[in-house]
Amino acid sequence: MKTQIGTCALVLVLATFGGSASAQDREIVWTERAESTVQAQLAQEQFLLTLFNTGRLPFKEVPMDTRTTLEQVMRAEGAWVGPMTEQVASMLCEVNRDHCDQDSKEVEANTLANQSKHVGGTRSTDLRWTVGKDETVRIPDLRIAQVWKPEPADKGAKVEATGIKIIQNCLTDRICIDDYVPQEGANDRLGRFRGVKVATRSTDGSGLALRLVPQLNAVVSVSEAPLADYEEIVKDRAIRFDFNDNQFEKLNQSLSRGIVGGVQLRLEHGHDTGALSGFESEPLAPHTKDVFDSFCNRAVHGECPIINTDGLASMAVAIVDQVPIVDDELILSHCDLGKVSIIRLSDRVVLEHQAGLDDPNFDCSTVVLPHQVLPEHHGTHVLGMLAAERNNRGISGLLSGLPNLSFVVIPFDSVRADQGDSNFAIDIAQAIDAAIFEQVKVFNLSFSYSPPQNGGKDEIRDRIKKWEDHALFVVAGGKEGDDANEGPCETRPACFAESLENVISVVGLETVPDTVALLENLDEPGKFLTNFGDKNFMLGAPARNIVSTVGTSSFGPATGTSQAAPQVTAAAVLLMSRGNVSPKKVRERLIYSSRLSLDTIDQINGGALDATATLMKDRDQVQLIDGCRITGSALDLRREVGGNLDQGSFDLTFLSGPQLSLRLRDVRRMFFRNNRGIFFHTLNGTLKREIATFTNNPEKHLLRLSVKSFSDECADRFAVDDLATIKLSEIADFISRMQ
């Protein structure tokens, strides 16, 4: 998958960077990949009109000087790139009524919801400007910069130019973007023509072949309070600006339908901003690259999604695990871990614990061998996968970029768990209650325990059930290699996933980009180092030699489902923090958006975790059999009957014989290979999976899709905002937006 789809995964970056913005102001950092003039026009138009129609586009007054049109003013002031569009010109006329008059008509009610398709509820039919060179005009108070970014060229691409350098194009005095430009004496065309190939490591063409692609970027400060600029505008317009949006949710939802993110910003102090960014700058990043690559499914999407830290819900994640305790004192002093809260099992008291982040005695650079990672390092290892600080000292945890996220540790003695101690279950259950009151919404349980002795009540299960509408429990699947389809599933709490909708059990996988393969037991060939079975085990993630925090100043590899579970926990936290999503919906989304394989349909209900696909929750995703990938809005399904296209469903035949008729609105995933498919759909509010084939000729069934973005493989077939009609027989994969 080329970079376009990868950078379209998440659509808006909302960030508070501090500085001059007031308490009610927020800086929006926007970026759009635009390979053509038309794409650039549409992107800028959508950005500006959405801000304008939500009452948040600030304006400034500038002199005309020697310029004769506002189009020239906009470009000279850096508020526009390329030719102006009619819609933006109409907006400029709206805020410059002393110098412009226009005829307009109100738009239809169904158009008002799309904030980028009109100007204050109207469409202009004619503009008449009267402005002189000695006068001042209003234009948007922002700067849009076009920079050139590298992305992989086609395999076998011939290198045409070398000698690039990187400069910083600064949007503000604090926020800068890398721009790739020619070095002195290099080919003047370099970086200014689409398709130019460059080499990054050598001058003879032996380096990595890239191409430079233009991107638009902007920073604008928006306010919660109504701007004076809009008070006059709204008096006689068809819509009213809504400022009752304290978390900017409505603005985010509007922008999420069309504005894409893909640039990596660099603040002046050198720290990357946002979750999933900046891990490459950590000294031990090569040891964690495979985890991040798999987590984001970079082989398909190109890059990790851009997720910034502001505007996300405040929440906590709990790690229930064994943690070193010496002489009744908790030992969690690792050089790459910061503050965590600890809930003591003995009395449920919540303690604030400062780890060894600021201790100068920790050099934080030692990587130990697998046999040096001891059992007592287990809890610290799991915590580090999520919470290791981005501090240029070691590794970066998957959630280290979320400052509004807190970590709660519930430490326990593993001996008590193994012995089926009934008081152990009670202690854990009560600690779960305490964690809920600390705003924990996701629990990571990388452990298993024995059932209560004498068939007693399972307090842990009851407590998980109690909080089914409030918290998701991500559970390591266990390492025994048992096939739960061949007998009763006895691994607790992983086996609760079959009956409890807020439990998701995770199997261990090998780190293989193109396949889904269970973690093999190298000591016993032919066996797995993970439990499995499609009715109980929902999802998988890489689990071999995962490097994380151990001891007090070291890092080391560990293997097992305990290392797979935190990756799913991280994706669940990111998804839940981006909106009020129930645990059940989070679980379903993680499952049906995973990287599927027909080879593991009896082993896992879903496939390998694909956080990028999961987090692209506001768009439908389509992959065609020729590799073309599209995102947009699936409108309906049509069936060709007697030469006419009728509204319809499509029929599936299960491999066992029966048939099922599915409507598009019930479909969550269609994954089709060689006349055989995996279909996820909802039935009476529950997610179901079918292994089936099409009953009727899929050539006769057509999916209609409003296109929002697409990969390079299909650039000559689609355009943004096109209404595409695609035969089901052409579709290799379809992931629906989150319902």
Side-chain angles (χ1 to χ4, degrees):
M1 185 61 200
K2 298 258 172 96
T3 303
Q4 180 155 347
I5 290 293
T7 58
C8 289
L10 293 180
V11 291
L12 178 68
V13 182
L14 284 175
T16 300
F17 293 97
S20 60
S22 72
Q24 290 185 315
D25 289 350
R26 189 164 297 176
E27 282 184 322
I28 292 179
V29 183
W30 168 79
T31 178
E32 171 81 31
R33 181 183 189 275
E35 289 198 54
S36 67
T37 300
V38 173
Q39 286 182 4
Q41 285 180 298
L42 291 175
Q44 293 172 98
E45 177 184 277
Q46 187 174 33
F47 182 51
L48 294 181
L49 291 186
T50 299
L51 291 171
F52 178 80
N53 285 323
T54 54
R56 290 186 170 86
L57 181 60
F59 290 90
K60 64 180 179 180
E61 291 193 355
V62 298
M64 288 293 295
D65 289 337
T66 59
R67 299 165 297 209
T68 57
T69 67
L70 258 72
E71 180 176 338
Q72 294 174 350
V73 175
M74 289 278 282
R75 284 201 296 268
E77 295 290 329
W80 189 264
V81 174
M84 185 66 61
T85 69
E86 183 178 349
Q87 285 281 82
V88 173
S90 177
M91 180 194 73
L92 293 173
C93 183
E94 188 72 59
V95 299
N96 289 280
R97 292 184 179 182
D98 294 341
H99 305 301
C100 182
D101 187 24
Q102 62 180 321
D103 298 325
S104 59
K105 61 180 180 179
E106 292 188 4
V107 300
E108 298 177 356
N110 60 357
T111 304
L112 287 175
N114 191 331
Q115 304 286 3
S116 65
K117 295 296 184 183
H118 57 87
V119 179
T122 68
R123 286 190 181 278
S124 174
T125 57
D126 187 26
L127 299 179
R128 295 172 294 277
W129 285 93
T130 55
V131 60
K133 65 179 182 178
D134 296 328
E135 295 177 302
T136 60
V137 291
R138 278 179 168 179
I139 66 169
D141 187 9
L142 54 78
R143 176 173 176 264
I144 300 177
Q146 180 178 1
V147 302
W148 291 72
K149 303 288 289 185
E151 62 181 43
D154 296 333
K155 291 183 178 179
K158 181 181 178 182
V159 175
E160 299 176 5
T162 57
I164 60 173
K165 67 177 180 179
I166 304 174
I167 65 172
Q168 287 195 4
N169 193 325
C170 293
L171 296 170
T172 72
D173 59 352
R174 292 168 293 112
I175 302 175
C176 301
I177 306 168
D178 288 343
D179 190 7
Y180 285 66
V181 299
Q183 289 180 348
E184 295 287 337
N187 189 334
D188 290 338
R189 296 188 313 144
L190 181 59
R192 294 295 177 263
F193 292 91
R194 178 185 176 188
V196 168
K197 307 298 189 301
V198 301
T200 59
R201 290 194 296 269
S202 63
T203 57
D204 61 0
S206 62
L208 179 64
L210 304 173
R211 66 173 185 161
L212 299 180
V213 177
Q215 291 182 349
L216 301 170
N217 306 275
V219 174
V220 58
S221 179
V222 297
S223 174
E224 278 293 335
L227 302 180
D229 297 311
Y230 293 94
E231 293 177 358
E232 184 69 23
I233 298 173
V234 300
K235 286 182 179 179
D236 56 354
R237 309 316 294 170
I239 65 172
R240 297 293 181 265
F241 301 120
D242 182 5
F243 289 91
N244 185 21
D245 189 13
N246 293 332
Q247 297 298 322
F248 288 78
E249 292 177 358
K250 295 176 184 177
L251 176 66
N252 190 19
Q253 290 168 3
S254 297
L255 290 175
S256 292
R257 284 191 285 271
I259 296 178
V260 302
V263 73
Q264 298 223 354
L265 298 176
R266 178 180 300 164
L267 300 189
E268 188 175 276
H269 54 66
H271 284 217
D272 293 294
T273 179
L276 304 181
S277 65
F279 81 92
E280 299 96 336
S281 64
E282 294 296 302
L284 303 180
H287 295 283
T288 59
K289 182 179 183 299
D290 285 345
V291 169
F292 278 88
D293 286 353
S294 178
F295 184 83
C296 303
N297 195 4
R298 287 193 184 193
V300 171
H301 303 291
E303 293 294 337
C304 287
I306 302 300
I307 309 170
N308 219 293
T309 57
D310 198 54
L312 301 181
S314 177
M315 60 184 293
V317 57
I319 295 88
V320 187
D321 215 309
Q322 61 184 46
V323 175
I325 298 177
V326 178
D327 296 330
D328 296 326
E329 182 176 345
L330 186 73
I331 304 299
L332 190 60
S333 298
H334 193 282
C335 59
D336 209 12
L337 294 173
K339 288 183 179 180
V340 297
S341 297
I342 298 167
I343 299 178
R344 292 194 310 216
L345 291 188
S346 58
D347 52 14
R348 268 74 65 196
V349 170
V350 181
L351 306 173
E352 287 292 325
H353 181 80
Q354 175 66 45
L357 196 63
D358 300 321
D359 193 327
N361 295 320
F362 296 146
D363 62 12
C364 214
S365 62
T366 304
V367 179
V368 301
L369 297 175
H371 71 273
Q372 296 172 297
V373 179
L374 305 177
E376 54 264 34
H377 295 154
H378 188 279
T380 306
H381 195 277
V382 170
L383 177 62
M385 290 185 65
L386 296 169
E389 296 276 352
R390 188 178 307 156
N391 53 14
N392 294 316
R393 296 191 72 184
I395 66 170
S396 173
L398 287 165
L399 294 177
S400 63
L402 297 180
N404 54 346
L405 178 72
S406 56
F407 296 94
V408 176
V409 172
I410 302 176
F412 64 83
D413 180 352
S414 61
V415 175
R416 294 180 64 199
D418 294 339
Q419 292 178 346
D421 183 344
S422 59
N423 290 327
F424 166 80
I426 293 173
D427 287 344
I428 293 292
Q430 293 177 344
I432 288 173
D433 285 341
I436 293 292
F437 292 107
E438 293 296 313
Q439 293 188 311
V440 169
K441 292 186 178 180
V442 181
F443 289 79
N444 187 97
L445 309 180
S446 287
F447 72 95
S448 60
Y449 64 94
S450 299
Q453 295 176 357
N454 303 319
K457 183 179 180 181
D458 191 328
E459 296 283 351
I460 295 177
R461 187 189 189 284
D462 289 350
R463 209 52 51 96
I464 293 174
K465 172 69 175 175
K466 172 185 175 181
W467 297 112
E468 63 181 349
D469 294 328
H470 187 86
L472 180 71
F473 292 79
V474 181
V475 184
K479 61 184 179 182
E480 291 77 18
D482 294 338
D483 184 352
N485 291 340
E486 295 183 352
C489 186
E490 297 180 346
T491 304
R492 303 183 186 211
C495 293
F496 297 158
E498 184 177 9
S499 57
L500 299 181
E501 293 182 332
N502 61 330
V503 175
I504 183 165
S505 52
V506 184
V507 305
L509 300 177
E510 300 288 356
T511 307
V512 184
D514 299 324
T515 62
V516 181
L518 294 185
L519 185 68
E520 295 184 3
N521 188 333
L522 301 182
D523 295 328
E524 297 184 59
K527 292 189 176 182
F528 298 116
L529 199 60
T530 178
N531 296 328
F532 58 97
D534 63 289
K535 292 182 176 59
N536 295 277
F537 298 91
M538 309 302 177
L539 201 61
R544 187 178 300 284
N545 292 331
I546 307 299
V547 173
S548 185
T549 49
V550 297
T552 57
S553 61
S554 300
F555 302 83
T559 296
T561 60
S562 291
Q563 282 61 52
Q567 299 169 58
V568 176
T569 295
V573 169
L574 291 170
L575 180 59
M576 196 173 286
S577 66
R578 293 183 60 229
N580 187 20
V581 187
S582 69
K584 176 183 175 181
K585 291 294 185 183
V586 172
R587 176 176 112 147
E588 290 180 351
R589 179 70 181 176
L590 287 165
I591 293 170
Y592 72 73
S593 63
S594 59
R595 182 161 52 90
L596 299 180
S597 170
L598 286 165
D599 296 332
T600 56
I601 56 176
D602 295 327
Q603 299 170 334
I604 321 173
N605 191 266
L609 173 67
D610 184 342
T612 300
T614 296
L615 296 170
M616 202 188 305
K617 66 187 183 72
D618 301 314
R619 295 187 182 183
D620 297 302
Q621 305 164 54
V622 179
Q623 178 181 337
L624 304 186
I625 56 177
D626 62 1
C628 166
R629 294 178 66 86
I630 315 161
T631 72
S633 300
L635 304 178
D636 55 28
L637 190 70
R638 298 297 179 97
R639 185 191 306 216
E640 185 178 334
V641 179
N644 298 318
L645 291 180
D646 297 333
Q647 285 284 125
S649 59
F650 58 87
D651 297 333
L652 297 177
T653 298
F654 300 168
L655 297 187
S656 58
Q659 290 188 11
L660 176 70
S661 182
L662 291 182
R663 300 168 298 179
L664 181 63
R665 69 187 184 191
D666 296 327
V667 174
R668 297 295 173 265
R669 182 74 177 268
M670 292 189 296
F671 177 85
F672 206 66
R673 297 289 189 276
N674 300 322
N675 201 36
R676 191 179 181 211
I678 303 174
F679 298 85
F680 283 95
H681 65 99
T682 56
L683 180 64
N684 298 325
T686 301
L687 184 69
K688 299 289 185 181
R689 186 191 72 162
E690 318 292 355
I691 312 301
T693 186
F694 288 114
T695 302
N696 301 321
N697 185 354
E699 292 278 344
K700 300 293 185 181
H701 293 83
L702 305 170
L703 176 69
R704 296 201 312 156
L705 181 81
S706 176
V707 177
K708 292 302 179 184
S709 64
F710 47 85
S711 63
D712 292 342
E713 291 87 347
C714 41
D716 58 341
R717 299 169 54 187
F718 301 105
V720 174
D721 293 330
D722 266 1
L723 180 60
T725 302
I726 306 169
K727 294 179 181 180
L728 285 188
S729 60
E730 295 181 288
I731 297 177
D733 203 359
F734 170 83
I735 306 175
S736 74
R737 75 189 77 180
M738 197 164 184
Q739 301 295 315

